[in-house]
Amino acid sequence: MMRLLVDLRSGLKRRLMILMAVSTLVLLAAVALAAEETVTLDEYEVSFDLGNYTGYEIDFEEVPYATVDGKEHPSHVCWIGEGRTMMIAITDYGVPMEATSSLTRRAVVSYLNDAGCANIQTHEVYIDAKPAILGLGGRQSGRTLVCAIFWPDIREVNGTLYGQVDCTIASEASVELTEMLINSVQVKLPGEVDEVPIMEARSEWDRIEL
């Protein structure tokens, strides 16, 4: 009887180890199927995760964006999705700029106005653990355009927020894809060392729902 119990326990242990191994492989396969992307915009690595959505193309463009002290600073743009429905843009101004919520809100509203949006609404949120302004505007087509701006290098100096680099996210895609893009975007500054995985899961408190 004792021999039988030992054999049964040994067999059960082997089965559990096999099940654990299979479960690990399934989990790894699921992660591998996720559409994680890392692109380089100017000197900055930008990562985002659109889950299992893989039916999109990525294009890059450099466009004039702003003039500071008589010098034009280009915006490095990554277009995402069929028909360029989503966008991430990085602009490095070369010098620290005021990055207060009021000035960032003004930039978001300006973007949506330039796109011909009406009924613009703005909200203070956090993106990539940084304070951001999220705006929504109605297009003449009936679709909603979402624009969000945050400063990856934001810092406080004598009570005032400054940043040299801003990240603009815009999307006319579905609510689901737009939420995944905004909630997963991360910008890595030059020389910055990863302390956590690039695709760190955001807490439910930080997640943005449109």
Side-chain angles (χ1 to χ4, degrees), residues 111-193:
Y111 182 96
L112 294 173
N113 277 328
D114 290 344
C117 291
N119 302 320
I120 296 173
Q121 304 174 32
T122 60
H123 307 274
E124 293 187 4
V125 296
Y126 279 84
I127 299 176
D128 193 12
K130 311 295 192 307
I133 298 296
L134 173 74
L136 299 91
R139 302 291 295 270
Q140 291 183 349
S141 62
R143 302 177 101 179
T144 298
L145 177 61
V146 176
C147 173
I149 296 178
F150 70 98
W151 301 77
D153 63 341
I154 195 168
R155 60 196 180 279
E156 184 177 334
V157 180
N158 297 326
T160 302
L161 294 174
Y162 290 93
Q164 181 173 313
V165 181
D166 79 14
C167 177
T168 300
I169 306 165
S171 176
E172 207 174 22
S174 68
V175 170
E176 181 184 9
L177 282 178
T178 302
E179 287 180 347
M180 283 194 288
L181 178 65
I182 292 174
N183 286 315
S184 66
V185 163
Q186 291 189 328
V187 179
K188 182 180 177 182
L189 303 174
E192 186 177 24
V193 177

Side-chain angles (χ1 to χ4, degrees), residues 25-183:
L25 290 173
V26 170
L27 179 61
L28 290 173
V31 171
L33 288 173
E36 297 179 358
E37 295 282 358
T38 299
V39 298
T40 300
L41 298 177
D42 195 11
E43 299 178 359
Y44 306 91
E45 286 188 9
V46 181
S47 303
F48 60 92
D49 186 352
L50 297 180
N52 292 327
Y53 175 62
T54 57
Y56 62 89
E57 298 177 351
I58 294 179
D59 294 316
F60 298 95
E61 185 178 9
E62 184 177 311
V63 297
Y65 186 76
T67 301
V68 178
D69 296 331
K71 183 179 179 181
E72 188 176 82
H73 297 272
S75 183
H76 298 265
V77 183
C78 172
W79 293 102
I80 309 164
E82 186 178 354
R84 293 185 165 193
T85 53
M86 295 175 283
M87 178 203 81
I88 303 173
I90 294 289
T91 305
D92 187 336
Y93 297 95
V95 294
M97 311 278 292
E98 282 198 27
T100 60
S101 60
S102 59
L103 292 174
T104 305
R105 180 178 285 104
R106 194 180 308 165
V108 169
V109 171
S110 176
Y111 182 96
L112 294 173
N113 277 328
D114 290 344
C117 291
N119 302 320
I120 296 173
Q121 304 174 32
T122 60
H123 307 274
E124 293 187 4
V125 296
Y126 279 84
I127 299 176
D128 193 12
K130 311 295 192 307
I133 298 296
L134 173 74
L136 299 91
R139 302 291 295 270
Q140 291 183 349
S141 62
R143 302 177 101 179
T144 298
L145 177 61
V146 176
C147 173
I149 296 178
F150 70 98
W151 301 77
D153 63 341
I154 195 168
R155 60 196 180 279
E156 184 177 334
V157 180
N158 297 326
T160 302
L161 294 174
Y162 290 93
Q164 181 173 313
V165 181
D166 79 14
C167 177
T168 300
I169 306 165
S171 176
E172 207 174 22
S174 68
V175 170
E176 181 184 9
L177 282 178
T178 302
E179 287 180 347
M180 283 194 288
L181 178 65
I182 292 174
N183 286 315

